[in-house]
Amino acid sequence: MSAREQRQVASDAGLSKQRVVVEAIRLADREGVDGLSMRRLAGELGAGAMSLYHYVANKEQLLDAMIDIVFEEIELPPEETDWQSAMRRRAVSARQVLASHPWAIGLMESRTSPGPANLRHREAVTACLRRAGFTVLTATHANWLLDSYVYGFALQEASLPFDTADEFTGMTEEVFLPQLPPDEFPYLNESAAALVAAGYDPAEEFIFGLDLILAALEPLRASA
Amino acid sequence: MSAREQRQVASDAGLSKQRVVVEAIRLADREGVDGLSMRRLAGELGAGAMSLYHYVANKEQLLDAMIDIVFEEIELPPEETDWQSAMRRRAVSARQVLASHPWAIGLMESRTSPGPANLRHREAVTACLRRAGFTVLTATHANWLLDSYVYGFALQEASLPFDTADEFTGMTEEVFLPQLPPDEFPYLNESAAALVAAGYDPAEEFIFGLDLILAALEPLRASA
DNA sequence: TCGTACACTGTACGACGTACGGTGTACGAG
DNA sequence: CTCGTACACCGTACGTCGTACAGTGTACGA
């Protein structure tokens, strides 16, 4: 048995850029982006820290690659349906993916050059809009608008300190409301109370705004 | 002249939480959030690194305080106009502020508890919407929708690798287009070409989506 | 049999956040 | 006028970070 094969047994498989990046994503999902260090990542892979630099030029490039894998996970707009359904599907998918990799959102601000999966995604979305009858310029507007909504929603969702409706109710009643004097924040109190009563569901909230935007974009199609 | 007065001359004024946080923001604006270290910040203030810990519990709290100062800079919705104008003003202000502190957007994802300025802002926005005739629930929807758009737009804008229209044209023609094979990315090519021809202005782009959202929200008012 | 190339790693450096234990000065009490 | 205390500030040190650099061992073609 060669040393390479030994290593493969010891660490589940030989190293590769793919394996490094995938494990990095797992680590970031588990511990947050601050918990992702080259040493820890190497440890997870059963390797020395410097070995990683044979597959990734530096940590920045590793982060770029991680982001692009995230984009790969987002569904492309299906081609066989009307444009609104297609956009809704890909937006919903994007929200799900970003919610399961919250660190990705904070990373986008600092990373300026889009990866290949990102480009493929943009191309597919633009294609869908153009084929639906939007002009080049209105398609650009629609693109900015939809992406802004999706990213902004994911950003807000990521900064919520709870994940489930129960946690929300608990946190609101025990932490937030006591911090909000009703005379200074009457409307926030009212709104928090209503949300506790009505229940809290980010997926529903997301769909509401999304459908409102899609409906408002409909009249901009040239061939309507 | 006392030692304290000497210090004040040497470093422009005695230390204070306010001064520490403001200088931290200046440093982050200038060098990015990665360039902000306790040692460098202390250096800018003419102090030792550990002195900062008398005004800030740790770096996390410093970042929280920075974010809240940023929220303080955003205009509250004016009370004397119709709700759409009020929302437009505060949204435009928010975009400007976030564009001048791009690091703030990436920070929001990891920071979960809102500061006082943030709360005041939310209260004022919610008040404006409720007074305009939105119900508690539709006001919540509108809030999520508008904030998502503003934050998401700011996030996308921050991740653009250029600041001016000229830079945009240059980068597009010299860097992006050569990377986009026309047969693989026909629509992105078309759209890039159109943008170069029509000129690029993020402020206009922002207003487009904003007004579209505001118009779409109008019919949701109860007292319309 | 040997040379080369490749995959990998050990060590070391400078910078980071911050715990801990000072140090000097201002100031109220005696 | 003296002195105790409180406060503002800092020097040093520890563990961790990213990563430059200089190896080391093995596979493989000649």
Side-chain angles (χ1 to χ4, degrees):
Chain A
M1 186 186 252
S2 74
R4 160 149 217 140
E5 281 163 330
Q6 278 181 11
R7 221 182 304 114
Q8 287 186 347
V9 169
S11 54
D12 261 4
L15 252 42
S16 73
K17 175 157 183 178
Q18 172 81 0
R19 226 166 84 75
V20 168
V21 177
V22 166
E23 191 63 39
I25 291 178
R26 251 214 292 277
L27 193 53
D29 286 345
R30 200 154 16 100
E31 317 255 353
V33 76
D34 287 344
L36 170 65
S37 79
M38 299 301 269
R39 283 178 236 257
R40 278 209 61 185
L41 175 54
E44 300 288 331
L45 291 161
M50 291 312 292
S51 308
L52 306 181
Y53 287 88
H54 274 264
Y55 304 98
V56 175
N58 47 43
K59 196 181 184 182
E60 290 286 293
Q61 192 181 102
L62 171 64
L63 297 176
D64 283 341
M66 291 168 67
I67 292 263
D68 211 50
I69 297 264
V70 169
F71 270 102
E72 228 165 55
E73 289 181 18
I74 302 176
E75 260 183 69
L76 295 181
E79 304 203 356
E80 59 278 1
T81 58
D82 61 302
W83 76 275
Q84 288 202 31
S85 308
M87 284 297 115
R88 185 157 37 236
R89 257 187 93 93
R90 80 103 195 181
V92 166
S93 167
R95 186 192 80 87
Q96 278 171 346
V97 170
L98 291 177
S100 67
H101 306 300
W103 46 266
I105 304 159
L107 243 45
M108 300 177 70
E109 171 255 323
S110 44
R111 241 123 287 291
T112 51
S113 74
N118 189 340
L119 288 178
R120 269 196 305 274
H121 189 89
R122 295 177 105 85
E123 172 72 14
V125 169
T126 310
C128 175
L129 291 170
R130 292 284 287 118
R131 282 198 279 262
F134 289 93
T135 65
V136 186
L137 285 178
T138 52
T140 304
H141 290 323
N143 232 321
W144 269 88
L145 174 47
L146 285 165
D147 280 356
S148 294
Y149 179 64
V150 171
Y151 296 150
F153 193 96
L155 180 61
Q156 288 194 84
E157 201 178 347
S159 73
L160 292 178
F162 40 81
D163 290 322
T164 68
D166 281 353
E167 261 186 285
F168 165 72
T169 307
M171 290 284 291
T172 305
E173 286 177 338
E174 288 155 35
V175 182
F176 294 138
L177 285 180
Q179 280 181 359
L180 296 177
D183 51 337
E184 198 179 349
F185 300 105
Y187 288 105
L188 287 186
N189 271 274
E190 177 193 47
S191 142
L195 279 186
V196 168
Y200 154 83
D201 184 353
E204 255 180 57
E205 186 66 57
F206 181 71
I207 291 288
F208 174 86
L210 179 60
D211 282 349
L212 188 137
I213 290 175
L214 290 173
L217 284 171
E218 178 69 42
L220 294 182
R221 291 202 296 153
S223 70
Chain B
M1 188 188 249
S2 74
R4 161 152 215 136
E5 281 163 329
Q6 278 181 10
R7 220 183 305 114
Q8 287 187 345
V9 169
S11 54
D12 262 3
L15 252 44
S16 72
K17 175 156 184 180
Q18 172 81 0
R19 227 165 84 74
V20 168
V21 177
V22 166
E23 191 63 38
I25 291 178
R26 253 214 290 276
L27 194 52
D29 286 346
R30 201 154 16 102
E31 318 256 353
V33 76
D34 287 343
L36 170 65
S37 80
M38 299 302 268
R39 283 176 234 256
R40 280 210 61 185
L41 175 55
E44 299 288 330
L45 292 161
M50 291 313 291
S51 308
L52 304 181
Y53 287 87
H54 275 263
Y55 304 99
V56 176
N58 48 41
K59 196 180 184 183
E60 290 286 293
Q61 194 182 98
L62 171 65
L63 296 176
D64 283 341
M66 290 167 66
I67 292 264
D68 211 50
I69 296 263
V70 169
F71 270 103
E72 229 166 53
E73 289 181 18
I74 302 176
E75 262 184 69
L76 296 180
E79 303 203 357
E80 60 277 1
T81 58
D82 61 301
W83 78 274
Q84 288 203 32
S85 307
M87 283 298 115
R88 186 158 36 234
R89 259 186 90 93
R90 80 101 195 181
V92 166
S93 168
R95 185 192 80 88
Q96 278 172 345
V97 169
L98 291 177
S100 66
H101 305 299
W103 47 266
I105 304 159
L107 244 43
M108 299 176 70
E109 171 254 324
S110 47
R111 241 120 288 291
T112 50
S113 75
N118 189 341
L119 288 177
R120 270 197 306 274
H121 189 88
R122 294 177 105 85
E123 172 72 16
V125 169
T126 311
C128 176
L129 291 170
R130 292 286 286 120
R131 281 198 280 262
F134 289 93
T135 65
V136 186
L137 285 179
T138 52
T140 303
H141 289 324
N143 233 321
W144 268 89
L145 175 48
L146 286 165
D147 279 356
S148 293
Y149 179 64
V150 171
Y151 296 151
F153 193 96
L155 179 60
Q156 287 194 84
E157 201 179 347
S159 73
L160 293 178
F162 40 81
D163 290 321
T164 68
D166 280 355
E167 261 186 285
F168 165 72
T169 306
M171 290 283 290
T172 304
E173 287 178 338
E174 287 155 35
V175 183
F176 294 139
L177 284 181
Q179 281 182 358
L180 296 178
D183 51 335
E184 198 179 350
F185 300 105
Y187 289 105
L188 287 186
N189 272 275
E190 177 193 47
S191 141
L195 280 186
V196 167
Y200 154 83
D201 184 354
E204 254 179 58
E205 187 67 57
F206 180 71
I207 290 287
F208 174 87
L210 179 59
D211 282 349
L212 189 137
I213 289 174
L214 290 173
L217 284 171
E218 178 69 42
L220 295 182
R221 291 202 295 154
S223 70

